[in-house]
Amino acid sequence: MTSTPPRLVPHTAEPVDHALAILLADVATAVAAGTWSRVKTCREPSCRWAFYDHSRNRGRTWCSMDVCGNRVKVRASHRRSAAR
């Protein structure tokens, strides 16, 4: 039988402290569940958002292929064109 870890609940009225407590509770839950390795930061230098990698092989590198992935690929294309 599998057991679930206890749910951490923040007990503070301060907005910033409350937000940080929720974030840390979510991190602790992800670590306990073994899913923390799927939380990544976008590799587009101008973005750096965090995202959850739902891909089967855990190979996602950008938060959004439509925005950040496209930016990286367009820059690479321009560099290749300029090199010719």
Short mmCIF file of all heavy atoms in Angstrom, two decimals, residues 26-27 29-42 49-63:
data_model
loop_
_atom_site.label_atom_id
_atom_site.label_comp_id
_atom_site.label_asym_id
_atom_site.label_seq_id
_atom_site.Cartn_x
_atom_site.Cartn_y
_atom_site.Cartn_z
N ASP A 26 4.62 23.46 -2.13
CA ASP A 26 4.54 22.77 -3.42
C ASP A 26 5.87 22.10 -3.78
O ASP A 26 5.88 20.99 -4.31
CB ASP A 26 4.11 23.73 -4.52
CG ASP A 26 2.65 24.13 -4.42
OD1 ASP A 26 1.89 23.43 -3.71
OD2 ASP A 26 2.26 25.13 -5.05
N VAL A 27 6.98 22.75 -3.47
CA VAL A 27 8.30 22.15 -3.72
C VAL A 27 8.45 20.90 -2.86
O VAL A 27 8.88 19.85 -3.36
CB VAL A 27 9.43 23.16 -3.43
CG1 VAL A 27 10.79 22.47 -3.38
CG2 VAL A 27 9.43 24.26 -4.47
N THR A 29 6.15 19.01 -1.64
CA THR A 29 5.24 17.98 -2.15
C THR A 29 5.81 17.32 -3.40
O THR A 29 5.77 16.09 -3.55
CB THR A 29 3.85 18.59 -2.45
OG1 THR A 29 3.34 19.17 -1.25
CG2 THR A 29 2.89 17.56 -2.97
N ALA A 30 6.39 18.13 -4.31
CA ALA A 30 6.98 17.58 -5.53
C ALA A 30 8.19 16.70 -5.21
O ALA A 30 8.37 15.64 -5.83
CB ALA A 30 7.38 18.71 -6.48
N VAL A 31 8.99 17.10 -4.26
CA VAL A 31 10.15 16.30 -3.86
C VAL A 31 9.68 14.97 -3.27
O VAL A 31 10.18 13.90 -3.62
CB VAL A 31 11.06 17.06 -2.86
CG1 VAL A 31 12.09 16.14 -2.24
CG2 VAL A 31 11.73 18.23 -3.55
N ALA A 32 8.68 15.03 -2.39
CA ALA A 32 8.16 13.80 -1.76
C ALA A 32 7.52 12.88 -2.79
O ALA A 32 7.62 11.65 -2.68
CB ALA A 32 7.15 14.16 -0.68
N ALA A 33 6.89 13.45 -3.82
CA ALA A 33 6.23 12.64 -4.84
C ALA A 33 7.20 12.14 -5.91
O ALA A 33 6.84 11.33 -6.75
CB ALA A 33 5.11 13.44 -5.49
N GLY A 34 8.43 12.67 -5.91
CA GLY A 34 9.40 12.25 -6.90
C GLY A 34 9.25 12.93 -8.24
O GLY A 34 9.80 12.49 -9.24
N THR A 35 8.52 14.05 -8.29
CA THR A 35 8.30 14.75 -9.56
C THR A 35 9.11 16.03 -9.66
O THR A 35 8.99 16.76 -10.64
CB THR A 35 6.80 15.09 -9.74
OG1 THR A 35 6.38 15.90 -8.64
CG2 THR A 35 5.96 13.84 -9.83
N TRP A 36 9.94 16.34 -8.67
CA TRP A 36 10.70 17.58 -8.67
C TRP A 36 11.61 17.67 -9.89
O TRP A 36 11.84 18.77 -10.41
CB TRP A 36 11.51 17.69 -7.38
CG TRP A 36 12.36 18.91 -7.34
CD1 TRP A 36 13.72 18.96 -7.36
CD2 TRP A 36 11.93 20.27 -7.29
NE1 TRP A 36 14.16 20.26 -7.31
CE2 TRP A 36 13.07 21.09 -7.27
CE3 TRP A 36 10.67 20.88 -7.27
CZ2 TRP A 36 13.00 22.48 -7.23
CZ3 TRP A 36 10.62 22.27 -7.22
CH2 TRP A 36 11.77 23.04 -7.20
N SER A 37 12.13 16.57 -10.39
CA SER A 37 13.03 16.61 -11.54
C SER A 37 12.33 17.08 -12.81
O SER A 37 12.98 17.44 -13.78
CB SER A 37 13.67 15.24 -11.77
OG SER A 37 12.68 14.29 -12.11
N ARG A 38 11.01 17.10 -12.81
CA ARG A 38 10.26 17.57 -13.97
C ARG A 38 10.02 19.08 -13.94
O ARG A 38 9.56 19.64 -14.92
CB ARG A 38 8.92 16.85 -14.08
CG ARG A 38 9.07 15.40 -14.51
CD ARG A 38 7.70 14.80 -14.77
NE ARG A 38 7.78 13.50 -15.33
CZ ARG A 38 7.77 13.24 -16.64
NH1 ARG A 38 7.69 14.20 -17.51
NH2 ARG A 38 7.82 11.99 -17.07
N VAL A 39 10.34 19.74 -12.84
CA VAL A 39 10.21 21.19 -12.77
C VAL A 39 11.50 21.78 -13.32
O VAL A 39 12.58 21.50 -12.82
CB VAL A 39 9.96 21.66 -11.32
CG1 VAL A 39 9.87 23.18 -11.26
CG2 VAL A 39 8.68 21.04 -10.78
N LYS A 40 11.39 22.60 -14.36
CA LYS A 40 12.56 23.14 -15.05
C LYS A 40 12.40 24.63 -15.27
O LYS A 40 11.30 25.16 -15.15
CB LYS A 40 12.73 22.46 -16.41
CG LYS A 40 12.93 20.97 -16.33
CD LYS A 40 13.07 20.39 -17.70
CE LYS A 40 13.33 18.90 -17.65
NZ LYS A 40 13.47 18.34 -18.99
N THR A 41 13.49 25.29 -15.63
CA THR A 41 13.41 26.68 -16.05
C THR A 41 13.62 26.75 -17.56
O THR A 41 14.38 25.95 -18.12
CB THR A 41 14.49 27.55 -15.36
OG1 THR A 41 15.76 27.00 -15.61
CG2 THR A 41 14.22 27.67 -13.87
N CYS A 42 12.94 27.68 -18.18
CA CYS A 42 13.05 27.86 -19.63
C CYS A 42 14.47 28.24 -19.99
O CYS A 42 15.10 29.05 -19.31
CB CYS A 42 12.07 28.95 -20.07
SG CYS A 42 12.03 29.19 -21.86
N TRP A 49 11.21 31.49 -17.19
CA TRP A 49 10.04 31.01 -16.46
C TRP A 49 10.28 29.58 -16.02
O TRP A 49 11.03 28.84 -16.63
CB TRP A 49 8.80 31.02 -17.36
CG TRP A 49 8.11 32.33 -17.44
CD1 TRP A 49 8.37 33.34 -18.31
CD2 TRP A 49 7.04 32.78 -16.61
NE1 TRP A 49 7.53 34.39 -18.08
CE2 TRP A 49 6.70 34.07 -17.04
CE3 TRP A 49 6.34 32.21 -15.55
CZ2 TRP A 49 5.69 34.80 -16.44
CZ3 TRP A 49 5.34 32.94 -14.95
CH2 TRP A 49 5.02 34.21 -15.40
N ALA A 50 9.61 29.17 -14.99
CA ALA A 50 9.64 27.78 -14.55
C ALA A 50 8.43 27.07 -15.16
O ALA A 50 7.38 27.69 -15.37
CB ALA A 50 9.59 27.68 -13.04
N PHE A 51 8.58 25.80 -15.48
CA PHE A 51 7.48 25.03 -16.05
C PHE A 51 7.61 23.57 -15.63
O PHE A 51 8.67 23.13 -15.19
CB PHE A 51 7.43 25.14 -17.57
CG PHE A 51 8.63 24.54 -18.28
CD1 PHE A 51 8.58 23.23 -18.74
CD2 PHE A 51 9.78 25.27 -18.47
CE1 PHE A 51 9.67 22.67 -19.38
CE2 PHE A 51 10.87 24.72 -19.12
CZ PHE A 51 10.82 23.42 -19.57
N TYR A 52 6.52 22.85 -15.75
CA TYR A 52 6.50 21.42 -15.44
C TYR A 52 6.60 20.66 -16.76
O TYR A 52 5.79 20.85 -17.66
CB TYR A 52 5.20 21.05 -14.72
CG TYR A 52 5.18 19.62 -14.24
CD1 TYR A 52 5.76 19.26 -13.04
CD2 TYR A 52 4.59 18.63 -15.01
CE1 TYR A 52 5.76 17.95 -12.62
CE2 TYR A 52 4.58 17.31 -14.59
CZ TYR A 52 5.16 16.98 -13.39
OH TYR A 52 5.16 15.68 -12.97
N ASP A 53 7.61 19.82 -16.89
CA ASP A 53 7.85 19.07 -18.12
C ASP A 53 6.96 17.84 -18.16
O ASP A 53 7.22 16.85 -17.49
CB ASP A 53 9.33 18.68 -18.18
CG ASP A 53 9.70 17.99 -19.49
OD1 ASP A 53 8.80 17.77 -20.33
OD2 ASP A 53 10.89 17.67 -19.66
N HIS A 54 5.91 17.91 -18.97
CA HIS A 54 4.97 16.79 -19.11
C HIS A 54 5.41 15.78 -20.17
O HIS A 54 4.75 14.76 -20.35
CB HIS A 54 3.57 17.31 -19.50
CG HIS A 54 2.89 18.05 -18.41
ND1 HIS A 54 2.22 17.41 -17.39
CD2 HIS A 54 2.76 19.38 -18.15
CE1 HIS A 54 1.70 18.31 -16.58
NE2 HIS A 54 2.04 19.51 -17.01
N SER A 55 6.50 16.07 -20.90
CA SER A 55 6.90 15.19 -21.99
C SER A 55 7.30 13.80 -21.46
O SER A 55 7.78 13.66 -20.34
CB SER A 55 8.04 15.80 -22.79
OG SER A 55 9.21 15.87 -22.01
N ARG A 56 7.11 12.81 -22.29
CA ARG A 56 7.38 11.44 -21.88
C ARG A 56 8.85 11.22 -21.53
O ARG A 56 9.17 10.55 -20.56
CB ARG A 56 6.98 10.48 -23.01
CG ARG A 56 7.07 9.03 -22.60
CD ARG A 56 6.70 8.09 -23.71
NE ARG A 56 5.37 8.42 -24.21
CZ ARG A 56 4.65 7.64 -24.97
NH1 ARG A 56 5.13 6.49 -25.36
NH2 ARG A 56 3.46 8.00 -25.39
N ASN A 57 9.75 11.81 -22.32
CA ASN A 57 11.18 11.60 -22.09
C ASN A 57 11.84 12.70 -21.27
O ASN A 57 13.06 12.73 -21.14
CB ASN A 57 11.92 11.44 -23.42
CG ASN A 57 11.97 12.73 -24.20
OD1 ASN A 57 11.29 13.70 -23.89
ND2 ASN A 57 12.76 12.74 -25.26
N ARG A 58 11.05 13.61 -20.74
CA ARG A 58 11.53 14.72 -19.91
C ARG A 58 12.54 15.58 -20.65
O ARG A 58 13.51 16.08 -20.09
CB ARG A 58 12.15 14.21 -18.61
CG ARG A 58 11.18 13.45 -17.76
CD ARG A 58 11.83 12.88 -16.54
NE ARG A 58 10.84 12.05 -15.84
CZ ARG A 58 11.01 11.57 -14.66
NH1 ARG A 58 12.13 11.79 -14.01
NH2 ARG A 58 10.08 10.85 -14.10
N GLY A 59 12.33 15.77 -21.94
CA GLY A 59 13.28 16.48 -22.78
C GLY A 59 12.91 17.90 -23.14
O GLY A 59 13.61 18.54 -23.92
N ARG A 60 11.84 18.42 -22.60
CA ARG A 60 11.41 19.77 -22.93
C ARG A 60 12.41 20.79 -22.40
O ARG A 60 12.92 20.66 -21.29
CB ARG A 60 10.04 20.03 -22.31
CG ARG A 60 9.16 20.90 -23.15
CD ARG A 60 7.77 20.92 -22.59
NE ARG A 60 7.45 22.33 -22.37
CZ ARG A 60 6.41 22.75 -21.70
NH1 ARG A 60 5.59 21.90 -21.14
NH2 ARG A 60 6.18 24.02 -21.57
N THR A 61 12.72 21.84 -23.18
CA THR A 61 13.69 22.84 -22.75
C THR A 61 13.10 24.24 -22.67
O THR A 61 13.71 25.12 -22.07
CB THR A 61 14.91 22.88 -23.68
OG1 THR A 61 14.47 23.09 -25.01
CG2 THR A 61 15.70 21.59 -23.60
N TRP A 62 11.96 24.49 -23.30
CA TRP A 62 11.36 25.81 -23.30
C TRP A 62 9.98 25.75 -22.67
O TRP A 62 9.26 24.77 -22.79
CB TRP A 62 11.23 26.35 -24.71
CG TRP A 62 12.54 26.40 -25.43
CD1 TRP A 62 13.63 27.16 -25.10
CD2 TRP A 62 12.92 25.65 -26.57
NE1 TRP A 62 14.65 26.93 -25.98
CE2 TRP A 62 14.24 26.01 -26.89
CE3 TRP A 62 12.27 24.71 -27.37
CZ2 TRP A 62 14.92 25.46 -27.97
CZ3 TRP A 62 12.95 24.17 -28.43
CH2 TRP A 62 14.26 24.54 -28.72
N CYS A 63 9.59 26.85 -22.04
CA CYS A 63 8.26 26.89 -21.42
C CYS A 63 7.18 26.84 -22.48
O CYS A 63 6.11 26.28 -22.27
CB CYS A 63 8.12 28.15 -20.55
SG CYS A 63 8.21 29.69 -21.46
#
